[in-house]
Amino acid sequence: MWSAPTTTAALLTHVVRGAEEAGYNGLMVALTRNADASAQLNELSEEWTSVHDVTGQLIAVLSPDPEVRTAKIRYPIVYECAAMHDLRLVPPEDHDFGFNRCFVGSVHGDQLRGRAEAVPPRPPQEHRNAWTEAASRCASYFGITEAQIPAVLLLSFAERTAVLIRLRPRSADSLYDLCKQVAADLGWTKRAAELSARQRALRQRQHHLHRVVDRPELSRAKWRSRSADRLGSRMTDELRAQYDGLDRHLSSIAEVNPALVQQWRARLAELRSHGTVEETYRQLFAIRRHVIAPQDRQKWRRLAAKVGKVIAATDRVILGRYTQFWNLDDADPITAELRRQEAEMGRQGAEMDRTATEARQELRQIDDELNSVAAELGDIKPKHDSEPGLAAATEAAARHMLGQIDTDTVDGSAGLAGYTVRVVRPMAEAPVEHIDNSLSGTVFGPMVQAGHIAGGVHIHQHGLWARMRRWFS
């Protein structure tokens, strides 16, 4: 199951993107409330692990996160603001570190895009409430009308096709059976999705281990080989953007000390043109020392934080993506850092060597497994390609669940813009057959059928009392 926050419709853009980037073939959204789909919500919450296992990497079944729905007020606000504006931020240096960390994490982490959960993280009733409470928001985001609820929506990412399965209110239709039928029809597709997910996980681990093996410590030899280089010769787009940003920041605060700011801007421009790496570091250190005092931070409008970001970016590009712990209290931060690194290597050199050796062994195992995964993916590709798409398999499973169905095809709108939407609904009950109530056989005397009568109807009995009334009249 794919647990994600749905406290505003705007978050769903990132939830859908997160499921797609996590390698799922599709996303299933239950547009249901407990009042008209209690059987389906009970099944999803009580048989959570079964649904999670049968869908695997094939379908992410969205579960609105109850913890976000009931969290403290400021944290959902952080998530939602970040989501609606698609922000990418670096936390500023102020006292509310928790808030900043949450803000940045909301765009970069699992809190926003969702995470796979094999077992329900909260009690079943909380999950049922979360599904119910999110139904209107999810429907609104995907452009589904109230008249079409209860329903199940499945997005097939590769095909850019969505299938909207309308459910009978208060029916016992099983979503687990629906998912199981889809998985049975797409067995090789599901296996390919699982192998691809494994491949991504192995490559992430491989990247981490390469960084362990290629230790980025700052040795004197590394510093000597790079400190005399011209900064301009090592400039990347990322680094250029940081230095441009610093120049704009200095320009915006020139009124604080016009002469000093102009001196800094001119010196940095000169260093970017033909200065060395070491000269640039020393100039950045000098600026940061001047403005880092707490009483000056407000006056310089966070210039210290901006310079720190430029130093960190320079570390990554020049010294191998490793932020150094420059001690600006020391008269010569570079020499101090070299001494610190050498002492660290002396204390932990043997341990670091052992860790690197273990990392190399694991890398060999990962290489072998990656080769095995790639070979299996190649073997099953013809079988995978021969299977129907996820949308077609879902429609077939809906037919199996609902019996006779009607279908329509429409263009998606709102959150389904760019998708073709197949609407599947149970076939309407056949109209009641016309019953022929005409009289047959021998009829004596005048007769009137009920269908011909207008106004009041009086029934007169023609039995014994009627005959006696005629005799004595």
Side-chain angles (χ1 to χ4, degrees), residues 91-263:
E93 295 178 353
D94 62 19
H95 298 294
D96 197 358
F97 178 72
F99 184 84
N100 297 321
R101 180 176 59 188
C102 183
F103 203 110
V104 175
S106 70
V107 256
H108 290 293
D110 291 341
Q111 301 99 317
L112 180 67
R113 296 178 175 239
R115 61 191 182 278
E117 298 276 9
V119 296
R122 305 294 300 171
Q125 184 60 49
E126 288 189 28
H127 286 288
R128 287 193 290 272
N129 291 342
W131 261 300
T132 297
E133 193 261 347
S136 294
R137 277 195 302 276
C138 292
S140 174
Y141 172 78
F142 290 113
I144 309 301
T145 65
E146 179 64 33
Q148 294 174 303
I149 298 174
V152 175
L153 178 68
L154 184 128
L155 283 67
S156 176
F157 297 133
E159 301 168 288
R160 280 300 182 259
T161 299
V163 181
L164 179 67
I165 305 170
R166 295 182 57 183
L167 303 174
R168 302 181 186 90
R170 301 174 185 84
S171 71
D173 295 329
S174 170
L175 298 186
Y176 171 79
D177 289 348
L178 177 76
C179 294
K180 183 176 175 64
Q181 185 66 51
V182 173
D185 291 343
L186 300 179
W188 294 111
T189 304
K190 181 182 177 184
R191 177 60 179 162
E194 291 167 351
L195 288 170
S196 297
R198 179 60 180 162
Q199 194 175 56
R200 284 190 299 274
L202 288 170
R203 285 174 177 165
Q204 289 174 356
R205 179 63 177 166
Q206 187 182 51
H207 176 72
H208 168 74
L209 292 172
H210 277 304
R211 296 185 65 182
V212 173
V213 172
D214 303 328
R215 292 195 301 263
E217 71 277 1
L218 178 59
S219 64
R220 289 185 184 273
K222 179 185 287 186
W223 178 254
R224 281 194 299 269
S225 69
R226 301 181 185 183
S227 61
D229 289 349
R230 280 196 317 108
L231 178 66
S233 68
R234 307 296 296 270
M235 192 69 71
T236 64
D237 289 342
E238 175 198 5
L239 197 54
R240 188 175 294 106
Q242 290 291 345
Y243 279 88
D244 288 345
L246 176 57
D247 186 67
R248 288 193 298 270
H249 192 110
L250 288 169
S251 176
S252 70
I253 59 173
E255 73 279 2
V256 177
N257 190 329
L260 182 58
V261 170
Q262 180 56 36
Q263 177 186 335

Side-chain angles (χ1 to χ4, degrees), residues 188 191-196 199 203 369-386:
W188 294 111
R191 177 60 179 162
E194 291 167 351
L195 288 170
S196 297
Q199 194 175 56
R203 285 174 177 165
E369 188 171 353
L370 281 172
N371 291 334
S372 175
V373 168
E376 186 175 352
L377 279 171
D379 290 342
I380 69 174
K381 188 177 187 305
K383 302 172 183 176
H384 166 214
D385 292 343
S386 68

Side-chain angles (χ1 to χ4, degrees), residues 14 78 81-89 103-104 106-108 112:
H14 303 275
V78 167
C81 289
M84 287 185 282
H85 299 288
D86 199 15
L87 295 174
R88 297 290 182 271
L89 302 177
F103 203 110
V104 175
S106 70
V107 256
H108 290 293
L112 180 67

Side-chain angles (χ1 to χ4, degrees), residues 290-444:
H290 190 90
V291 301
I292 202 171
Q295 64 270 21
D296 292 335
R297 288 188 185 184
Q298 187 64 30
K299 179 177 69 176
W300 288 103
R301 298 183 197 167
R302 311 185 68 78
L303 178 58
K306 181 61 183 175
V307 174
K309 288 174 61 177
V310 175
I311 293 173
T314 308
D315 290 342
R316 289 194 297 272
V317 173
I318 305 299
L319 303 177
R321 302 188 61 81
Y322 181 70
T323 302
Q324 309 299 319
F325 298 96
W326 303 112
N327 179 11
L328 299 188
D329 292 332
D330 196 285
D332 186 351
I334 294 173
T335 301
E337 176 61 16
L338 289 170
R339 285 198 303 265
R340 191 192 71 80
Q341 290 274 355
E342 288 170 350
E344 188 74 14
M345 285 294 295
R347 290 192 301 271
Q348 300 185 10
E351 177 64 22
M352 294 175 70
D353 287 340
R354 183 185 66 78
T355 302
T357 299
E358 292 175 352
R360 290 188 187 95
Q361 292 173 349
E362 187 176 349
L363 280 169
R364 286 192 290 270
Q365 295 171 356
I366 288 176
D367 288 340
D368 291 341
E369 188 171 353
L370 281 172
N371 291 334
S372 175
V373 168
E376 186 175 352
L377 279 171
D379 290 342
I380 69 174
K381 188 177 187 305
K383 302 172 183 176
H384 166 214
D385 292 343
S386 68
E387 291 182 335
L390 179 57
T394 302
E395 190 171 330
R399 183 179 293 107
H400 186 270
M401 178 177 73
L402 299 175
Q404 289 185 314
I405 59 173
D406 287 326
T407 60
D408 292 316
T409 302
V410 298
D411 292 331
S413 60
L416 291 178
Y419 279 77
T420 298
V421 182
R422 294 279 291 166
V423 181
V424 179
R425 61 184 182 278
M427 184 174 290
E429 292 183 6
V432 177
E433 294 182 1
H434 175 68
I435 300 175
D436 185 2
N437 64 349
S438 59
L439 299 176
S440 61
T442 304
V443 179
F444 298 95

